[in-house]
Each structure stands twice: as structure tokens, then as C-alpha cells.
Amino acid sequence: MKTRRVAQYGLLIALALVLSYVESLVPAFFAVPGVKLGLTNLVVMVALYRMGDRDAIIINLLRILLVSMTFGNAFSLMYAAAGGLLSGAVMILLKRTGKFKMLTVSIAGGIAHNVGQILIAMVLLGTWRVSYYLLILWWSGLAAGFAIGILSAQVVRRLPESLFKDGAQR
């Protein structure tokens, strides 16, 4: 891996850690557990649209691992991994079709993240009854995905492609 790519990974992962910390300072919205803005998804979206699928997956996995080790525990790692992997897969598939704008990709990613978390909760708790919570998380995923999609589109539009020239738009 080239030095430039390693530096890009480092910068994006560091940004994800900072955004995760900032998000941890914000109280839970409407006092609903599990509802977050998903600020770190901004980093994943930038990686996806400026570096490529493979790079976005690697950055997402490293972000999940480091954030869980820094601010969480084994359970938060499982929930973050389930949500992050499903979200990443959905975003990559939608982007690859070429039929969806970044906003739609982000919204679908936000919703998929919450679906992944509910699925892992069902497995860990051994009951399907937590699925009632999906309606609340579906709406929060839609809202967060919308906000992050708008922000991501602006950031990607303003970042010069030359910053990512060895892997732009793969």
C-alpha cells in the first residue's frame, strides 16, 4: 500500500474517532436509547465516493473496531459491526447500480445500520420481541441518513479529486 493511501486512511480514521467522540457528548435524542446522528458515517461516505468500495469497507471496519475499543465494550462492538457491515454493504450495492444519488445511498445506509443492530439484538437476546423498536430506529435512521447524506454530498463536492488521485472514483 502506498504511503499516500496509508496517510489517507489515517486521516479519515482519526476524523471518525473525533466525530464519534463529539457524538458521544450529545445527549440521546428524545431520550431514546440507540438513536444517534451517525456522524462517523460521513467518513465512510467520503471514502466510498472518493476512494472506492474496498477502501470504504476497510476504513469502516477499522473505525468500528477503534471506536468500540475506545468508547465501548464487546457488546457495542457487536452492535456497531452488525450495523456498520449491513449499512456498508447496502450503500456499496446502491452506489454500484449508478441509479441512486448520494442522499438516497446515505438514507438507505442509515436505515440498514439500524436494521443490523436490531437483528444482532434479536440474536443476542434470543427474542424477536425487540423488533418493535425497529419502527423508532427506522425513522431515526431515515433522519440521520438524510442529514449525513446532505453533509456528505457537500463535503465530497468540495474535496478536490486530486487529494485522492490514485484511487478516485473506483
Side-chain angles (χ1 to χ4, degrees):
M1 184 179 290
K2 292 184 178 180
T3 305
R4 181 180 183 97
R5 182 62 72 199
V6 171
Q8 289 169 341
Y9 274 43
L11 286 171
L12 289 174
I13 292 168
L15 179 59
L17 284 168
V18 169
L19 291 173
S20 181
Y21 176 71
V22 167
E23 191 170 61
S24 74
L25 299 175
V26 177
F29 295 101
F30 311 110
V32 179
V35 175
K36 291 184 177 181
L37 274 175
L39 293 175
T40 57
N41 202 40
L42 172 64
V43 173
V44 176
M45 291 290 290
V46 168
L48 180 61
Y49 279 87
R50 281 292 187 229
M51 298 172 77
D53 301 351
R54 183 178 150 272
D55 295 314
I57 290 167
I58 292 169
I59 288 170
N60 198 17
L61 288 173
L62 289 172
R63 169 198 67 87
I64 289 166
L65 182 64
L66 292 173
V67 167
S68 294
M69 288 172 44
T70 307
F71 304 114
N73 54 41
F75 285 107
S76 64
L77 174 61
M78 287 187 273
Y79 282 98
L85 292 174
L86 184 58
S87 172
V90 166
M91 291 190 302
I92 287 169
L93 290 173
L94 291 180
K95 180 186 174 269
R96 280 186 180 178
T97 68
K99 297 179 182 180
F100 300 98
K101 294 185 186 249
M102 191 181 299
L103 179 62
T104 307
V105 170
S106 179
I107 291 170
I111 293 169
H113 184 87
N114 291 340
V115 169
Q117 289 188 324
I118 288 295
L119 290 174
I120 198 69
M122 290 168 60
V123 170
L124 292 174
L125 299 173
T127 180
W128 60 269
R129 291 189 175 144
V130 293
S131 63
Y132 76 90
Y133 202 53
L134 190 55
L135 182 60
I136 295 166
L137 292 181
W138 188 87
W139 283 104
S140 73
L142 186 135
F146 182 83
I148 296 302
I150 296 283
L151 188 57
S152 297
Q154 293 302 313
V155 169
V156 167
R157 189 169 59 92
R158 286 177 167 78
L159 281 176
E161 283 191 43
S162 61
L163 287 177
F164 304 95
K165 69 180 177 186
D166 61 330
Q169 301 292 338
R170 275 193 269 163

PDB file of all heavy atoms in Angstrom, residues 43-63:
ATOM      1  N   VAL A  43     -17.522   9.939   7.249  1.00  0.00           N
ATOM      2  CA  VAL A  43     -16.205   9.457   6.839  1.00  0.00           C
ATOM      3  C   VAL A  43     -16.345   8.285   5.864  1.00  0.00           C
ATOM      4  O   VAL A  43     -15.642   8.214   4.857  1.00  0.00           O
ATOM      5  CB  VAL A  43     -15.364   9.057   8.073  1.00  0.00           C
ATOM      6  CG1 VAL A  43     -14.063   8.392   7.664  1.00  0.00           C
ATOM      7  CG2 VAL A  43     -15.104  10.271   8.944  1.00  0.00           C
ATOM      8  N   VAL A  44     -17.264   7.386   6.157  1.00  0.00           N
ATOM      9  CA  VAL A  44     -17.481   6.221   5.291  1.00  0.00           C
ATOM     10  C   VAL A  44     -17.987   6.678   3.918  1.00  0.00           C
ATOM     11  O   VAL A  44     -17.548   6.169   2.886  1.00  0.00           O
ATOM     12  CB  VAL A  44     -18.455   5.218   5.942  1.00  0.00           C
ATOM     13  CG1 VAL A  44     -18.753   4.052   5.010  1.00  0.00           C
ATOM     14  CG2 VAL A  44     -17.894   4.712   7.265  1.00  0.00           C
ATOM     15  N   MET A  45     -18.877   7.656   3.910  1.00  0.00           N
ATOM     16  CA  MET A  45     -19.399   8.163   2.637  1.00  0.00           C
ATOM     17  C   MET A  45     -18.295   8.829   1.808  1.00  0.00           C
ATOM     18  O   MET A  45     -18.218   8.619   0.599  1.00  0.00           O
ATOM     19  CB  MET A  45     -20.540   9.160   2.893  1.00  0.00           C
ATOM     20  CG  MET A  45     -21.805   8.534   3.455  1.00  0.00           C
ATOM     21  SD  MET A  45     -22.668   7.505   2.261  1.00  0.00           S
ATOM     22  CE  MET A  45     -23.286   8.741   1.135  1.00  0.00           C
ATOM     23  N   VAL A  46     -17.448   9.601   2.458  1.00  0.00           N
ATOM     24  CA  VAL A  46     -16.330  10.236   1.738  1.00  0.00           C
ATOM     25  C   VAL A  46     -15.419   9.158   1.163  1.00  0.00           C
ATOM     26  O   VAL A  46     -15.021   9.223  -0.007  1.00  0.00           O
ATOM     27  CB  VAL A  46     -15.550  11.203   2.658  1.00  0.00           C
ATOM     28  CG1 VAL A  46     -14.235  11.626   2.021  1.00  0.00           C
ATOM     29  CG2 VAL A  46     -16.405  12.416   2.984  1.00  0.00           C
ATOM     30  N   ALA A  47     -15.099   8.154   1.964  1.00  0.00           N
ATOM     31  CA  ALA A  47     -14.246   7.059   1.477  1.00  0.00           C
ATOM     32  C   ALA A  47     -14.910   6.330   0.313  1.00  0.00           C
ATOM     33  O   ALA A  47     -14.253   6.016  -0.688  1.00  0.00           O
ATOM     34  CB  ALA A  47     -13.939   6.087   2.612  1.00  0.00           C
ATOM     35  N   LEU A  48     -16.190   6.069   0.422  1.00  0.00           N
ATOM     36  CA  LEU A  48     -16.912   5.342  -0.622  1.00  0.00           C
ATOM     37  C   LEU A  48     -16.908   6.114  -1.940  1.00  0.00           C
ATOM     38  O   LEU A  48     -16.669   5.546  -2.998  1.00  0.00           O
ATOM     39  CB  LEU A  48     -18.346   5.064  -0.170  1.00  0.00           C
ATOM     40  CG  LEU A  48     -19.247   4.305  -1.125  1.00  0.00           C
ATOM     41  CD1 LEU A  48     -18.694   2.921  -1.429  1.00  0.00           C
ATOM     42  CD2 LEU A  48     -20.658   4.188  -0.545  1.00  0.00           C
ATOM     43  N   TYR A  49     -17.149   7.409  -1.864  1.00  0.00           N
ATOM     44  CA  TYR A  49     -17.281   8.198  -3.086  1.00  0.00           C
ATOM     45  C   TYR A  49     -15.972   8.782  -3.606  1.00  0.00           C
ATOM     46  O   TYR A  49     -15.891   9.180  -4.761  1.00  0.00           O
ATOM     47  CB  TYR A  49     -18.323   9.302  -2.902  1.00  0.00           C
ATOM     48  CG  TYR A  49     -19.717   8.771  -3.073  1.00  0.00           C
ATOM     49  CD1 TYR A  49     -20.396   8.212  -1.997  1.00  0.00           C
ATOM     50  CD2 TYR A  49     -20.329   8.768  -4.313  1.00  0.00           C
ATOM     51  CE1 TYR A  49     -21.672   7.695  -2.160  1.00  0.00           C
ATOM     52  CE2 TYR A  49     -21.597   8.251  -4.488  1.00  0.00           C
ATOM     53  CZ  TYR A  49     -22.262   7.713  -3.402  1.00  0.00           C
ATOM     54  OH  TYR A  49     -23.517   7.180  -3.574  1.00  0.00           O
ATOM     55  N   ARG A  50     -14.943   8.821  -2.773  1.00  0.00           N
ATOM     56  CA  ARG A  50     -13.672   9.373  -3.236  1.00  0.00           C
ATOM     57  C   ARG A  50     -12.563   8.334  -3.352  1.00  0.00           C
ATOM     58  O   ARG A  50     -11.611   8.537  -4.088  1.00  0.00           O
ATOM     59  CB  ARG A  50     -13.195  10.502  -2.320  1.00  0.00           C
ATOM     60  CG  ARG A  50     -13.886  11.803  -2.566  1.00  0.00           C
ATOM     61  CD  ARG A  50     -13.466  12.342  -3.923  1.00  0.00           C
ATOM     62  NE  ARG A  50     -13.987  13.681  -4.126  1.00  0.00           N
ATOM     63  CZ  ARG A  50     -14.629  14.053  -5.217  1.00  0.00           C
ATOM     64  NH1 ARG A  50     -14.838  13.209  -6.185  1.00  0.00           N
ATOM     65  NH2 ARG A  50     -15.066  15.285  -5.329  1.00  0.00           N
ATOM     66  N   MET A  51     -12.686   7.223  -2.629  1.00  0.00           N
ATOM     67  CA  MET A  51     -11.607   6.233  -2.630  1.00  0.00           C
ATOM     68  C   MET A  51     -12.032   4.904  -3.252  1.00  0.00           C
ATOM     69  O   MET A  51     -11.231   4.239  -3.875  1.00  0.00           O
ATOM     70  CB  MET A  51     -11.098   6.017  -1.203  1.00  0.00           C
ATOM     71  CG  MET A  51     -10.505   7.267  -0.582  1.00  0.00           C
ATOM     72  SD  MET A  51     -10.131   7.078   1.165  1.00  0.00           S
ATOM     73  CE  MET A  51      -8.626   6.137   1.077  1.00  0.00           C
ATOM     74  N   GLY A  52     -13.264   4.492  -3.028  1.00  0.00           N
ATOM     75  CA  GLY A  52     -13.744   3.244  -3.594  1.00  0.00           C
ATOM     76  C   GLY A  52     -14.312   2.301  -2.550  1.00  0.00           C
ATOM     77  O   GLY A  52     -14.171   2.508  -1.338  1.00  0.00           O
ATOM     78  N   ASP A  53     -14.955   1.246  -3.037  1.00  0.00           N
ATOM     79  CA  ASP A  53     -15.652   0.277  -2.186  1.00  0.00           C
ATOM     80  C   ASP A  53     -14.722  -0.385  -1.171  1.00  0.00           C
ATOM     81  O   ASP A  53     -15.017  -0.431   0.021  1.00  0.00           O
ATOM     82  CB  ASP A  53     -16.298  -0.831  -3.029  1.00  0.00           C
ATOM     83  CG  ASP A  53     -17.308  -0.310  -4.030  1.00  0.00           C
ATOM     84  OD1 ASP A  53     -17.655   0.889  -3.983  1.00  0.00           O
ATOM     85  OD2 ASP A  53     -17.757  -1.108  -4.864  1.00  0.00           O
ATOM     86  N   ARG A  54     -13.625  -0.917  -1.656  1.00  0.00           N
ATOM     87  CA  ARG A  54     -12.692  -1.659  -0.796  1.00  0.00           C
ATOM     88  C   ARG A  54     -12.154  -0.773   0.315  1.00  0.00           C
ATOM     89  O   ARG A  54     -12.106  -1.167   1.476  1.00  0.00           O
ATOM     90  CB  ARG A  54     -11.544  -2.223  -1.642  1.00  0.00           C
ATOM     91  CG  ARG A  54     -10.567  -3.061  -0.864  1.00  0.00           C
ATOM     92  CD  ARG A  54      -9.477  -3.625  -1.814  1.00  0.00           C
ATOM     93  NE  ARG A  54      -8.247  -3.793  -1.107  1.00  0.00           N
ATOM     94  CZ  ARG A  54      -7.298  -2.868  -0.951  1.00  0.00           C
ATOM     95  NH1 ARG A  54      -7.446  -1.692  -1.496  1.00  0.00           N
ATOM     96  NH2 ARG A  54      -6.208  -3.119  -0.280  1.00  0.00           N
ATOM     97  N   ASP A  55     -11.758   0.442  -0.049  1.00  0.00           N
ATOM     98  CA  ASP A  55     -11.226   1.373   0.942  1.00  0.00           C
ATOM     99  C   ASP A  55     -12.295   1.754   1.965  1.00  0.00           C
ATOM    100  O   ASP A  55     -12.009   1.858   3.158  1.00  0.00           O
ATOM    101  CB  ASP A  55     -10.687   2.632   0.263  1.00  0.00           C
ATOM    102  CG  ASP A  55      -9.490   2.328  -0.622  1.00  0.00           C
ATOM    103  OD1 ASP A  55      -8.589   1.604  -0.165  1.00  0.00           O
ATOM    104  OD2 ASP A  55      -9.459   2.797  -1.766  1.00  0.00           O
ATOM    105  N   ALA A  56     -13.520   1.957   1.504  1.00  0.00           N
ATOM    106  CA  ALA A  56     -14.617   2.303   2.419  1.00  0.00           C
ATOM    107  C   ALA A  56     -14.873   1.170   3.408  1.00  0.00           C
ATOM    108  O   ALA A  56     -15.106   1.420   4.599  1.00  0.00           O
ATOM    109  CB  ALA A  56     -15.883   2.626   1.627  1.00  0.00           C
ATOM    110  N   ILE A  57     -14.812  -0.069   2.941  1.00  0.00           N
ATOM    111  CA  ILE A  57     -15.025  -1.221   3.828  1.00  0.00           C
ATOM    112  C   ILE A  57     -13.918  -1.286   4.879  1.00  0.00           C
ATOM    113  O   ILE A  57     -14.186  -1.454   6.075  1.00  0.00           O
ATOM    114  CB  ILE A  57     -15.067  -2.530   3.016  1.00  0.00           C
ATOM    115  CG1 ILE A  57     -16.345  -2.589   2.172  1.00  0.00           C
ATOM    116  CG2 ILE A  57     -14.991  -3.751   3.940  1.00  0.00           C
ATOM    117  CD1 ILE A  57     -16.334  -3.674   1.126  1.00  0.00           C
ATOM    118  N   ILE A  58     -12.677  -1.136   4.448  1.00  0.00           N
ATOM    119  CA  ILE A  58     -11.549  -1.213   5.384  1.00  0.00           C
ATOM    120  C   ILE A  58     -11.632  -0.095   6.414  1.00  0.00           C
ATOM    121  O   ILE A  58     -11.477  -0.327   7.620  1.00  0.00           O
ATOM    122  CB  ILE A  58     -10.205  -1.173   4.620  1.00  0.00           C
ATOM    123  CG1 ILE A  58     -10.038  -2.460   3.802  1.00  0.00           C
ATOM    124  CG2 ILE A  58      -9.039  -0.987   5.586  1.00  0.00           C
ATOM    125  CD1 ILE A  58      -8.893  -2.416   2.808  1.00  0.00           C
ATOM    126  N   ILE A  59     -11.892   1.123   5.959  1.00  0.00           N
ATOM    127  CA  ILE A  59     -11.998   2.259   6.874  1.00  0.00           C
ATOM    128  C   ILE A  59     -13.159   2.066   7.835  1.00  0.00           C
ATOM    129  O   ILE A  59     -13.052   2.330   9.035  1.00  0.00           O
ATOM    130  CB  ILE A  59     -12.101   3.582   6.084  1.00  0.00           C
ATOM    131  CG1 ILE A  59     -10.744   3.900   5.460  1.00  0.00           C
ATOM    132  CG2 ILE A  59     -12.589   4.728   6.968  1.00  0.00           C
ATOM    133  CD1 ILE A  59     -10.748   5.023   4.465  1.00  0.00           C
ATOM    134  N   ASN A  60     -14.279   1.565   7.331  1.00  0.00           N
ATOM    135  CA  ASN A  60     -15.451   1.321   8.178  1.00  0.00           C
ATOM    136  C   ASN A  60     -15.128   0.282   9.253  1.00  0.00           C
ATOM    137  O   ASN A  60     -15.450   0.475  10.429  1.00  0.00           O
ATOM    138  CB  ASN A  60     -16.630   0.880   7.324  1.00  0.00           C
ATOM    139  CG  ASN A  60     -17.957   1.026   8.028  1.00  0.00           C
ATOM    140  OD1 ASN A  60     -18.086   1.730   9.031  1.00  0.00           O
ATOM    141  ND2 ASN A  60     -18.963   0.368   7.508  1.00  0.00           N
ATOM    142  N   LEU A  61     -14.490  -0.814   8.869  1.00  0.00           N
ATOM    143  CA  LEU A  61     -14.147  -1.862   9.842  1.00  0.00           C
ATOM    144  C   LEU A  61     -13.154  -1.362  10.886  1.00  0.00           C
ATOM    145  O   LEU A  61     -13.319  -1.618  12.090  1.00  0.00           O
ATOM    146  CB  LEU A  61     -13.594  -3.092   9.129  1.00  0.00           C
ATOM    147  CG  LEU A  61     -14.601  -3.920   8.356  1.00  0.00           C
ATOM    148  CD1 LEU A  61     -13.904  -5.016   7.552  1.00  0.00           C
ATOM    149  CD2 LEU A  61     -15.640  -4.527   9.290  1.00  0.00           C
ATOM    150  N   LEU A  62     -12.127  -0.651  10.443  1.00  0.00           N
ATOM    151  CA  LEU A  62     -11.150  -0.111  11.391  1.00  0.00           C
ATOM    152  C   LEU A  62     -11.787   0.920  12.314  1.00  0.00           C
ATOM    153  O   LEU A  62     -11.512   0.958  13.521  1.00  0.00           O
ATOM    154  CB  LEU A  62      -9.959   0.496  10.643  1.00  0.00           C
ATOM    155  CG  LEU A  62      -9.035  -0.504   9.956  1.00  0.00           C
ATOM    156  CD1 LEU A  62      -8.014   0.211   9.085  1.00  0.00           C
ATOM    157  CD2 LEU A  62      -8.353  -1.396  10.973  1.00  0.00           C
ATOM    158  N   ARG A  63     -12.664   1.740  11.761  1.00  0.00           N
ATOM    159  CA  ARG A  63     -13.388   2.730  12.566  1.00  0.00           C
ATOM    160  C   ARG A  63     -14.226   2.046  13.630  1.00  0.00           C
ATOM    161  O   ARG A  63     -14.181   2.416  14.804  1.00  0.00           O
ATOM    162  CB  ARG A  63     -14.283   3.580  11.664  1.00  0.00           C
ATOM    163  CG  ARG A  63     -15.271   4.444  12.439  1.00  0.00           C
ATOM    164  CD  ARG A  63     -16.412   4.937  11.571  1.00  0.00           C
ATOM    165  NE  ARG A  63     -17.314   3.926  11.105  1.00  0.00           N
ATOM    166  CZ  ARG A  63     -18.388   3.493  11.785  1.00  0.00           C
ATOM    167  NH1 ARG A  63     -18.641   3.937  12.987  1.00  0.00           N
ATOM    168  NH2 ARG A  63     -19.191   2.592  11.270  1.00  0.00           N
TER     169      ARG A  63
END
